[in-house]
Amino acid sequence: MQVAKPVKQVTVEDAFWKKYKQVVAEEVIPYQWKALNDELPDTEPSHAIENFRIAAGESTGEYYGTVFQDSDLAKWLETVAFSLRDHPNPELERQADEIIELLGRAQAEDGYLNTYYMLKEPDNRWTNLRDNHELYCAGHFLEAAVAYYETTGKTKLLHIMEKYVSLIQQTFGTGDGQLRGYPGHEEIELALIKLYNVTGKSSYLELAQYFIEQRGQNPIYFVEELERRKGIQTASTWNDDNRINFGLGFEYQQAHRPVREQKEAVGHAVRAMYLYTAMADLAAVTKDASLLQACDTLWEDVTNHKMYITGGVGSAVNGEAFTSKYDLPNDTMYCETCASVGLVFWANRMLRMAPDRKYVDVLERALYNGTISGMDLDGKRFFYVNPLEVNPYQASRADQEHVKPERQKWFFCACCPPNLARMIASVEDHVYTQTEDTLYTHLYISGRANLTLSGQEVEIVQTHHYPWNADIQLTVRTANPTEFTWALRIPGWCRQAEVQVNGEKIPVQALDKGYLLIQRTWSDGDEVTLHLAMPAERMRSHSLVSMNQQQVALQRGPVVYCLEEVDNGENLGSLRLPQDSPIHERFEEELLGGIVKLSAEGYRLTGPSDLYSAEPLAKVPQRITAIPYYAWCNRTPGEMRVWIYEG
């Protein structure tokens, strides 16, 4: 197993993603800072920063928020770290430094740092790993510490978290007096491996391995924990009744069996994504073939049986969880933004171990659809749930509780907005990986990458207007001729590709797992051009996805489309798109930030006013308009649907 490492020195100049990164830097980070400081009017207060001030003895009051409220601040810090790479901001960095100082003042002498337990249940640390997220919050602060160190070189937060990890190492393990527990919500596992990667301290890798390997071992730790918790006075209402997490059993936490024995994705979708990411990370570091096989088995189950066309995962509202194969309802699903973000992270890690187009195709699908749909175009409203069909006029009260027809300013459980922000701020980390003499180009995002190949400094420049146009130019800049292999991904959605090097055509037939390998000595100014055919296509589901029978979804390149009421009128379910109706494409710079809009001639079925009738339905001609799914609900709210009935 030859593990490819990410290329870190990447600057985004891409019109699409640069705009998103700018929105995060200029709008989302300040907006979320106000939310975390309880300065947003007409929204649920966060209290996350105030909780730390109280813990540091600098303010009075009681803990407020969910048990994992600390993690929102951690993800904000991580987003700041990523954003500072290409949007230097001394004032923002000063704010982050002040928060880090606050964390240090709030930290207990033994290293413990979790405001819920410090303020609410100081005598009950580590008594409810299943539900109360201590290790999850620690993991997010670890990720923030690593990111902030890598961007700024500052070690304060890194030292705070290493002190906390030292306490966790003493607390958990198989030694005498240690707890044999593991987190109910995975996160710290992947964070510990990040910490290992920047410090080289093997004890951090060993702790991550312990948490992963211990999961699902018999006896199940959460049973023992529940028994020990009897008689403990607790302030939390989120535990200890007769249900075991929404009736899903230990599958909810992926703790039903050891990780190598897990063959299907089950339980809470976000937890699963974080666990699988950590498993892939561990397999890459330890060269563990059996763990890699387990990751691949789970990957095939998720992407072939349980993933929406938008890259959404998690079909069930009950438990925000995976269900059975091909159970993919469009209007009662969950598709949490965090779950799609987690899918991007998992795909990224799988890609490092085994460069394969199948991983990037999913990563790209989630990037351009199921993740960024979670935020409106100005970065001020957010979806927790990302439906593929919304009819606010017909939705039941129960549906309205989780499928909102409009994005919200903030949430009491606000994990998604900062999670999405940190992904957008670090999107460049998914573009390239490399070995010593091979460069893999996975995503086509305009910009510059600086790296060392075959011992020589090389710069790669991408220029194009992707995802709206797939005529791509890549230029090599190097002081000395350099021999290396360039592996260019030919996307799975592309049925016809043309590649040239300095104007000379290169055969595209022989691909290596979806990559065109070009091995040569590269000189300064060498140009590679790709033309990837990108027509709009009708996509169809597997026949067992009963909700989508006789329906199609429109997709152009990596972008999935939807219909909105504002373009097509109400009752979108009555529209029909004939199989032979040509799909027209038009780039509209002023619409929704600049998009390619699709249109086709179709018709609407209309019928009698009676509830039931033997009369045939009439076909009324209508032009059907589709916009990118990620951009829905940025105009007049109303109906939306991804899947359209064929005529």
Side-chain angles (χ1 to χ4, degrees), residues 87-150:
H87 290 85
N89 183 330
E91 175 60 21
L92 179 62
E93 190 170 340
R94 183 193 62 78
Q95 278 183 334
D97 288 342
E98 288 181 355
I99 287 296
I100 291 168
E101 292 292 336
L102 174 62
L103 298 179
R105 295 193 299 272
Q107 187 171 32
E109 278 191 31
D110 64 357
Y112 188 80
L113 187 61
N114 182 284
T115 63
Y116 173 80
Y117 276 99
M118 295 171 83
L119 300 178
K120 202 86 169 175
E121 301 186 46
D123 298 327
N124 292 342
R125 295 182 188 177
W126 317 123
T127 59
N128 191 350
L129 300 180
R130 191 191 76 188
D131 300 317
N132 281 4
H133 292 54
E134 286 160 282
L135 294 172
Y136 166 85
C137 290
H140 274 302
F141 274 113
L142 280 172
E143 288 199 87
V146 169
Y148 204 69
Y149 166 71
E150 288 186 323

Side-chain angles (χ1 to χ4, degrees), residues 293-340:
Q293 180 57 56
C295 290
D296 250 328
T297 299
L298 291 163
W299 178 269
E300 294 303 317
D301 182 51
V302 170
T303 60
N304 290 332
H305 305 134
K306 298 174 181 175
M307 182 183 73
Y308 285 86
I309 193 169
T310 57
V313 289
S315 301
V317 176
N318 184 37
E320 306 170 0
F322 288 106
T323 58
S324 57
K325 294 179 180 180
Y326 305 114
D327 178 31
L328 296 167
N330 295 311
D331 56 348
T332 60
M333 61 341 97
Y334 210 71
C335 290
E336 184 180 342
T337 301
C338 281
S340 288

Side-chain angles (χ1 to χ4, degrees), residues 10-18 364 368 431-432 441-449 460-475 486 488-489 491 493 528-532 534 558 587:
V10 180
T11 302
V12 173
E13 298 170 349
D14 185 273
F16 186 92
W17 287 108
K18 189 173 183 178
E364 187 178 57
Y368 283 96
V431 179
Y432 303 98
T441 300
H442 306 300
L443 296 176
Y444 296 107
I445 294 180
S446 291
R448 300 172 183 271
I460 303 296
V461 181
Q462 284 198 44
T463 309
H464 47 75
H465 194 43
Y466 196 89
W468 312 123
N469 183 295
D471 290 322
I472 295 163
Q473 179 179 306
L474 303 105
T475 306
W486 200 344
L488 299 166
R489 167 178 163 254
W493 51 258
V528 178
T529 56
L530 287 78
H531 171 72
L532 307 176
M534 189 188 273
F587 182 74

Side-chain angles (χ1 to χ4, degrees), residues 41 43 55 157 278 283 304 343-344 346 484 497 515 527 617 623 646:
T43 63
L157 185 53
N304 290 332
L343 180 60
V344 168
W346 182 26
F484 64 89
Y515 289 80
E527 287 189 355
L617 299 176
R623 191 170 185 82
E646 280 195 304

Side-chain angles (χ1 to χ4, degrees), residues 560-578:
V560 174
Y561 281 71
C562 70
L563 309 187
E564 276 200 288
E565 181 181 343
V566 66
D567 297 312
N568 300 282
E570 63 180 23
N571 192 11
L572 297 178
S574 69
L575 295 178
R576 297 295 183 271
L577 178 62

Side-chain angles (χ1 to χ4, degrees), residues 126 152 193 195 206 255 276 293 364 418 461 518 526 573 577 598 608 618 641:
W126 317 123
T152 67
I193 297 173
L195 186 63
E206 291 164 4
Y276 304 159
Q293 180 57 56
E364 187 178 57
V461 181
I518 307 175
D526 281 349
L577 178 62
L598 304 182
R641 66 186 296 135

